[in-house]
Amino acid sequence: MIEFKNVSKKYQEKEVLKSQSFTIEDGEFVVLVGPSGSGKTTLLKMINRLIEPTSGEILIDKKPQSDLDLRQMRFEMGYVLQQASLFPNMTVIENALIIPKLKRADLTQATLDAKKLLHQVGLDDQAFNKYPNQLSGGEQQRVGIVRALMGNPKILLMDEPFSALDAITKKELQVLIKDLQRKLQLTVVFVTHDTTEALKLADRVAVLHQGELVQFAKPDTIIKKPADAFVADLFKEEIGHA
């Protein structure tokens, strides 16, 4: 469980997150959506302390973040970026094994686990010894997802992971991540600008506007009962087709 209690963030005089309180339940797929500058990525990065709140408190499994070992906490959270950010001088399998090596895990078992996960995301044995520049963008992102999962995280943070991909690959990876989330019982917090993607993936959608959480609800509720004119306008295309 992730709890935000009156959390705000200021950069000099600009308040990018305004004293927000909400809870993300275990095993929930939450999508943060809103225009640029609404606070989505700031909120996401606060969960693993890449950004510290100006005020308020964040709890992970009812424990204040400040009481948790930062290194251990981050090992228990996977992180997938817009670009896969793979190490170019490492093969697919070497990229997948970065976190097990940092954790000094049994590399024989970790290699077996990595190969199993790589198969699950649709990569065959021939891909294992390829370098990132030999892969398509979609394949690179699949490796990025595997790398994030190799620490057996409870929480997976995803910052616009599919926005740079073509429409077909994007749809494939949307299905893949939802399937993995269910199988592995992950808590996923996913940032996107794409309202259709938000509705497709989310158990609940968190709509952000100018640093405020203006609605946090199931996709059906967003469509049938938008909280205000901003939400209605943001989802007007989907509401129009409902």
Side-chain angles (χ1 to χ4, degrees):
M1 183 187 295
I2 304 165
E3 297 175 79
F4 277 59
K5 292 188 173 182
N6 300 312
V7 174
S8 64
K9 180 63 181 179
K10 284 184 179 180
Y11 293 106
Q12 296 176 339
E13 295 304 309
K14 182 174 172 59
E15 194 170 32
V16 294
L17 200 66
K18 302 175 182 177
S19 192
Q20 300 300 293
S21 298
F22 59 91
T23 299
I24 296 170
E25 301 293 342
D26 289 341
E28 192 171 26
F29 200 123
V30 168
V31 178
L32 311 178
V33 66
S36 296
S38 59
K40 303 184 301 297
T41 296
T42 295
L43 193 157
L44 186 80
K45 288 182 175 180
M46 283 182 174
I47 295 173
N48 70 349
R49 292 185 65 187
L50 284 173
I51 293 175
E52 297 282 358
T54 303
S55 62
E57 186 177 43
I58 300 170
L59 289 82
I60 308 294
D61 293 332
K62 299 187 177 180
K63 296 176 182 176
Q65 276 183 328
S66 55
D67 291 350
L68 302 174
D69 178 82
L70 181 59
R71 178 183 168 89
Q72 185 60 37
M73 185 193 77
R74 286 183 176 162
F75 274 145
E76 293 177 2
M77 295 184 189
Y79 199 4
V80 182
L81 299 167
Q82 182 175 348
Q83 305 293 338
S85 301
L86 303 178
F87 289 98
N89 60 332
M90 292 184 177
T91 64
V92 164
I93 199 73
E94 288 169 340
N95 267 285
L97 290 172
I98 286 169
I99 291 181
K101 284 181 178 178
L102 289 172
K103 294 176 78 172
R104 298 180 182 176
D106 176 352
L107 288 186
T108 302
Q109 183 60 50
T111 301
L112 293 174
D113 293 343
K115 288 179 177 180
K116 181 180 177 182
L117 269 175
L118 287 164
H119 283 145
Q120 279 186 269
V121 301
L123 294 170
D124 60 25
D125 292 3
Q126 291 181 336
F128 295 172
N129 293 316
K130 289 183 177 179
Y131 289 90
N133 65 1
Q134 298 174 296
L135 305 175
S136 69
E139 288 169 336
Q140 289 185 38
Q141 202 61 303
R142 290 169 195 262
V143 179
I145 290 168
V146 168
R147 185 175 64 184
L149 294 176
M150 279 302 295
N152 296 314
K154 302 178 200 172
I155 296 167
L156 184 61
L157 308 176
M158 307 188 79
D159 194 358
E160 300 198 59
F162 309 147
S163 62
L165 303 176
D166 64 85
I168 292 172
T169 304
K170 186 174 184 175
K171 286 181 181 178
E172 289 175 352
L173 289 182
Q174 287 169 347
V175 172
L176 170 68
I177 197 60
K178 193 69 178 174
D179 185 52
L180 286 171
Q181 183 250 342
R182 288 169 177 155
K183 284 180 179 176
L184 301 175
Q185 298 181 314
L186 294 167
T187 303
V188 177
V189 187
F190 186 108
V191 168
T192 185
H193 279 90
D194 185 335
T195 53
T196 301
E197 181 171 66
L199 295 172
K200 180 177 181 178
L201 290 176
D203 295 319
R204 284 193 297 163
V205 178
V207 185
L208 286 141
H209 182 46
Q210 295 179 344
E212 294 189 24
L213 188 62
V214 293
Q215 189 164 9
F216 194 15
K218 293 181 179 180
D220 278 356
T221 303
I222 297 284
I223 294 302
K224 292 174 183 175
K225 295 180 180 178
D228 58 18
F230 170 78
V231 179
D233 185 60
L234 187 67
F235 288 90
K236 62 185 175 185
E237 187 174 335
E238 291 79 16
I239 290 170
H241 291 134

